[in-house]
């Protein structure tokens, strides 16, 4: 990290590799699977790079970067001319191809993506961070500014909700 | 059914490709200023958006009352601290409390943090391009995240889903490990346990050997790719010359551009020519891009461009050029005029250029909008629309419009970017 503070592009590239998934999780949780998601993720890194010289404690780079990603996502939703997206219902499902026959498992995964997108933001964010990065609960807690127990609780609530919805749908 | 497993399978496709993200971000970064002899230079990046001043900042603007109030409080605090120190009191450290947004800490105690580059010339410098595992002598197994590290000679690297680059200052040896590779690296001996690796000591000759259970490969100055396959070891010499010493059988000599396979059952295959070296090293393309080594990148682009033009391995070369992405645009753009004599090749080149171009290539694309070939103009129009999200005119206009109409549209588009 010190290397990229000193201006090494190579080292910054590695920071992108390291944090790309969690930044994407933060953006995805807020704006959903939109066409400008990639742009948003990249812009978060560009802004982080721009502010590196002002970052006093380099060990806080991760938190700093995720704050940028969070703010950009919120700005993105407020942008005029774009269709407003409800925070509590983002689109994580792939674009529908109604004519294409999906196998049972693929159908279940698609259903899961849709239901994760309908989880409350706090739960959705925890789920994405956990399943994208396989991060420890402590690491996710540090990123979200909550305790490990709270992360665990969010994941538990998310799983309960998903089980209920999927169970009901499958039963019906 | 396991919900955990299903969630992982359902959400992983959304996680994106970190290396592709890194390439896109690096392409958008401005070039770094030249190194200053006085020390490191902070990154110079144009501000994306100017911050609006929150209060009057002009020299003659009157200071508001709260400004004087804060100043007085700060002065009082400073005096208090100075007095405490002067009286010799050991001021208790101010409890800062837990930071609200701590950095994500490593997932387990055995995770190692990236270290600055070493003074120790014997150490190995590792560039991890993703999560990988190392077993370091005396320190044991550690999980590493992407980043630069120093590790001890004799470390076992297991790359898993990641790529890894290793450099040894002592003898200028460069080693690259592909995904799913395991190797023990020492300055003069690499033991390839499984997977695929490249090594080069071509720039600074020194005796290097790679050991496998099929035999040894030795070279004083060469660039080599080795791959452990099912029941065999494949060796390809890209530069220089090397000696292959099979476990059973006589020693072989390979020159640049030659390959051989040592088989567990049966004799060593005959030495053959490598049809196209670009395909042999295509797995390293992402490392070359991420390492931003201008010399190697330029050489790689030139090599692939020449192969593309020569035509013998045009399809393979085009595949490699596509893998390199938008960095090839200047080199391919320079071919526009020389290719005039071969319309089909020119058209293929333009299609390639339009496909890989990104925001950094907009200027070149705008120039090609004025091309004499209608198909080229339409391709550039589509590329610009994809990159910028804007469109000036439509495909019919770019295909059939008069030079005057098209010229005005190009000027309009240029003005938007200015």
């Amino acid at each position: 990290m010190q290397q990229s503070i000193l201006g090494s592009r190579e080292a910054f590239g590695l920071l992108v590799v390291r944090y790309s998934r969690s930044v994407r999780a933060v953006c995805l949780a807020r704006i959903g699977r939109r066409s400008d998601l990639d742009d948003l993720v990249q812009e978060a890194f560009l802004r982080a790079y721009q502010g590196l010289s002002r970052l006093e404690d380099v060990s806080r780079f991760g938190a700093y970067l995720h704050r940028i990603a969070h703010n950009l996502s919120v700005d993105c939703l407020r942008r005029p001319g774009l269709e407003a997206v409800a925070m509590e219902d983002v689109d994580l499902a792939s674009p529908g191809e109604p004519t294409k026959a999906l196998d049972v498992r693929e159908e279940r995964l698609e259903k899961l993506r849709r239901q994760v997108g309908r989880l409350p933001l706090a739960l959705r964010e925890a789920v994405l961070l956990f399943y994208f990065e396989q991060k420890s609960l402590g690491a996710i807690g540090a990123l979200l500014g909550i305790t490990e127990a709270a992360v665990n609780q969010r994941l538990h609530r998310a799983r309960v909700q998903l089980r209920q919805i999927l169970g009901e749908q499958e039963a019906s | 059914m396991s919900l955990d497993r299903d969630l992982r399978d359902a959400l992983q496709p959304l996680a994106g490709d970190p290396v592709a993200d890194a390439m896109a971000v690096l392409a958008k970064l401005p070039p770094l200023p030249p190194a200053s002899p006085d020390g490191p230079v902070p990154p110079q990046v144009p501000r994306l958006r100017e911050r609006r001043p929150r209060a009057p900042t002009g020299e003659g603007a009157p200071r508001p009352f709260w400004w004087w109030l804060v100043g007085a409080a700060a002065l009082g605090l400073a005096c208090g601290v100075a007095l405490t120190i002067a009286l010799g009191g050991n001021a208790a450290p101010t409890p800062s409390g837990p930071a609200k947004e701590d950095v994500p800490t490593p997932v387990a105690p055995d995770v190692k943090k990236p270290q600055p580059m070493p003074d120790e010339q014997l150490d190995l410098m590792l560039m991890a391009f993703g999560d990988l595992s190392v077993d370091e002598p005396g320190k044991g197994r550690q999980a590493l995240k992407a980043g630069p590290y120093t590790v001890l000679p004799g470390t076992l690297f297991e790359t898993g889903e990641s790529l890894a680059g290793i450099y040894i200052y002592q003898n200028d040896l460069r080693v690259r490990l592909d995904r799913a590779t395991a190797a023990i690296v020492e300055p003069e001996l690499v033991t390839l346990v499984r997977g695929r690796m490249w090594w080069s000591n071509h720039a600074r000759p020194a005796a290097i050997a790679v050991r496998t259970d099929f035999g040894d490969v030795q070279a004083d100055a060469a660039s080599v790719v080795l791959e452990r396959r099912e029941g065999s070891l494949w060796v390809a010499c890209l530069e220089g010359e090397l000696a292959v010493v099979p476990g059973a059988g006589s020693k072989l000599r390979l020159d640049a551009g030659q390959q051989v396979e040592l088989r567990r059952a049966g004799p060593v295959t005959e030495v053959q020519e490598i049809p196209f070296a670009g395909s042999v090293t295509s797995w390293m393309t992402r490392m070359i891009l991420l390492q931003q080594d201008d010399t190697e990148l330029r050489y790689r682009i030139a090599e692939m461009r020449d192969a593309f033009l020569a035509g013998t391995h045009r399809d393979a070369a085009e595949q490699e050029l596509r893998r390199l992405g938008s960095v090839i645009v200047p080199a391919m753009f320079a071919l526009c005029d020389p290719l005039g004599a071969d319309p089909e090749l020119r058209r293929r080149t333009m299609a390639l250029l339009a496909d890989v171009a990104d925001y950094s290539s907009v200027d070149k694309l705008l120039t090609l909008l004025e091309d004499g070939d209608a198909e080229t103009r339409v391709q550039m129009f589509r590329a610009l629309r994809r990159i910028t999200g804007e469109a000036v005119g439509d495909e019919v206009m770019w295909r059939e419009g008069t030079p005057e109409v098209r010229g005005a549209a190009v000027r309009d588009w240029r003005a938007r970017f200015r």
Side-chain angles (χ1 to χ4, degrees):
Chain A
M1 181 133 8
Q2 193 65 31
Q3 290 259 317
S4 55
I5 295 289
L6 302 182
S8 158
R9 293 163 67 93
E10 179 187 337
F12 191 74
L14 291 168
L15 286 180
V16 180
V17 173
R18 178 168 175 180
Y19 287 107
S20 155
R21 283 171 182 246
S22 54
V23 167
R24 190 172 289 270
V26 168
C27 296
L28 197 60
R30 279 167 181 78
I31 73 163
R33 197 176 189 181
R34 285 179 13 180
S35 58
D36 51 355
L37 178 67
D38 285 344
D39 294 339
L40 203 66
V41 171
Q42 289 162 22
E43 193 172 349
F45 282 104
L46 290 172
R47 290 204 183 185
Y49 184 80
Q50 175 190 341
L52 275 181
S53 56
R54 294 193 297 275
L55 184 64
E56 288 174 2
D57 180 1
V58 292
S59 67
R60 294 181 63 79
F61 178 78
Y64 159 75
L65 176 65
H66 289 100
R67 176 54 53 188
I68 292 174
H70 167 89
N71 290 342
L72 280 173
S73 307
V74 173
D75 283 353
C76 176
L77 292 176
R78 289 184 188 141
R79 210 174 287 164
L82 288 177
E83 197 182 330
V85 178
M87 272 286 199
E88 300 307 319
D89 186 4
V90 304
D91 183 13
L92 295 181
S94 52
E97 289 179 48
T99 53
K100 189 179 169 187
L102 297 171
D103 64 25
V104 177
R105 176 152 172 80
E106 198 45 51
E107 201 174 346
R108 181 179 161 82
L109 299 185
E110 193 63 39
K111 208 183 284 179
L112 258 178
R113 278 193 282 270
R114 201 166 296 124
Q115 294 310 328
V116 170
R118 288 174 189 165
L119 288 173
L121 175 64
L123 306 191
R124 189 193 314 145
E125 194 170 46
V127 166
L128 287 173
L129 280 169
F130 187 75
Y131 288 101
F132 271 21
E133 283 237 79
Q134 324 274 297
K135 271 182 179 293
S136 70
L137 300 182
I140 297 173
L143 190 67
L144 298 177
I146 56 177
T147 63
E148 197 174 319
V151 179
N152 201 7
Q153 198 180 17
R154 285 184 188 184
L155 286 172
H156 175 71
R157 279 168 51 202
R159 288 191 198 106
V160 169
Q161 285 195 23
L162 290 171
R163 272 202 191 96
Q164 274 175 357
I165 296 165
L166 291 174
E168 281 165 15
Q169 284 187 355
E170 278 162 9
S172 66
Chain B
M1 270 184 257
S2 157
L3 182 64
D4 269 336
R5 198 191 62 205
D6 286 351
L7 274 169
R8 196 169 299 125
D9 291 350
L11 299 177
Q12 271 302 317
L14 306 179
D17 179 350
V19 177
D21 281 337
M23 281 154 54
V25 170
L26 286 174
K28 290 180 183 174
L29 291 182
L32 289 170
S36 157
D38 301 329
V41 182
Q44 303 287 315
V45 183
R47 293 185 66 80
L48 295 177
R49 190 192 302 160
E50 287 301 322
R51 187 174 292 172
R52 202 180 324 149
R54 287 180 296 180
T57 53
E59 297 244 332
R63 303 292 187 198
F65 174 71
W66 61 263
W67 190 91
W68 295 107
L69 201 63
V70 171
L75 188 65
L77 187 67
C79 289
V81 171
L83 194 64
T84 311
I85 293 169
L87 291 174
N90 286 330
T94 314
S96 56
K100 197 178 174 190
E101 293 174 349
D102 280 345
V103 154
T105 43
V107 293
D110 62 344
V111 172
K112 191 177 178 183
K113 287 186 176 174
Q115 299 291 320
M117 288 301 169
D119 293 329
E120 291 289 335
Q121 295 185 356
L122 286 174
D123 283 349
L124 314 179
M125 297 174 195
L126 164 69
M127 198 60 87
F129 290 83
D131 296 355
L132 56 84
S133 154
V134 296
D135 192 349
E136 203 174 3
K139 297 186 180 176
R141 191 168 286 277
Q142 298 155 82
L144 306 186
K145 294 279 183 189
Y149 299 84
T150 60
V151 291
L152 294 172
T155 296
L156 166 68
F157 298 89
E158 288 185 276
T159 54
E161 290 298 307
S162 166
L163 298 163
I166 299 153
Y167 176 73
I168 304 172
Y169 181 84
Q170 183 193 2
N171 54 0
D172 206 14
L173 172 66
R174 292 186 295 153
V175 177
R176 286 179 179 149
L177 305 179
D178 194 6
R179 296 177 177 87
T181 293
I184 301 166
V185 181
E186 294 166 87
E188 288 165 2
L189 176 69
V190 179
T191 308
L192 179 63
V193 182
R194 64 171 178 275
R196 178 162 54 176
M197 65 171 280
W198 166 91
W199 108 72
S200 177
N201 58 344
H202 195 252
R204 192 166 125 196
I208 304 294
V210 175
R211 179 154 299 159
T212 71
D213 51 346
F214 290 91
D216 287 4
V217 178
Q218 302 159 349
D220 292 335
S223 295
V224 186
V225 176
L226 296 179
E227 185 179 343
R228 283 284 313 267
R229 294 174 174 170
E230 188 66 39
S232 70
L233 172 74
W234 173 71
V235 185
C237 179
L238 306 175
E239 288 179 292
E241 59 178 41
L242 58 84
V244 181
V245 188
S250 55
K251 191 170 172 177
L252 293 165
R253 193 140 209 103
L254 290 192
D255 290 322
Q258 292 186 324
Q259 59 179 337
V260 74
E261 195 165 357
L262 314 184
R263 290 181 293 203
R264 197 181 298 284
V268 176
T269 61
E270 279 184 21
V271 174
Q272 295 172 329
E273 294 297 311
I274 300 170
F276 178 51
S279 301
V280 172
T281 52
S282 62
W283 57 277
M284 303 194 315
T285 301
R286 286 190 159 189
M287 278 194 269
I288 295 171
L289 282 168
L290 272 174
Q291 287 184 193
Q292 300 271 299
D293 178 342
D294 276 350
T295 312
E296 187 174 15
L297 193 54
R298 271 203 303 271
Y299 179 79
R300 180 86 179 167
I301 293 169
E303 189 186 8
M304 294 308 138
R305 182 201 57 199
D306 293 348
F308 179 74
L309 291 180
T312 324
H313 301 285
R314 184 164 291 156
D315 289 344
E318 182 177 340
Q319 200 178 345
E320 286 310 302
L321 287 166
R322 284 181 185 278
R323 230 174 238 149
L324 283 162
S326 63
V327 292
I328 68 164
V329 170
M332 301 312 281
F333 179 76
L335 295 177
C336 296
D337 290 336
L339 287 179
D342 186 345
E344 187 47 46
L345 181 57
R346 188 177 194 276
R347 198 155 291 178
R348 190 166 169 177
T349 307
M350 294 301 113
L352 168 63
L353 202 151
D355 285 349
V356 301
D358 66 9
Y359 207 85
S360 63
S361 328
V362 163
D363 194 46
K364 304 264 187 303
L365 299 185
L366 285 170
T367 304
L368 287 171
L369 273 181
E370 299 181 84
D371 196 83
D373 176 44
E375 192 55 39
T376 299
R377 292 196 300 271
V378 171
Q379 280 171 339
M380 297 309 138
F381 165 71
R382 286 181 193 149
L384 280 163
R385 188 175 54 191
R386 167 178 62 79
I387 294 164
T388 65
E390 294 182 40
V392 174
D394 54 24
E395 290 191 14
V396 177
M397 190 275 276
W398 290 107
R399 194 185 300 277
E400 297 167 7
T402 62
E404 291 74 27
V405 172
R406 285 189 275 116
V410 170
R411 282 193 295 281
D412 182 13
W413 220 331
R414 278 193 193 281
R416 291 188 190 200
F417 288 112
R418 199 162 288 135

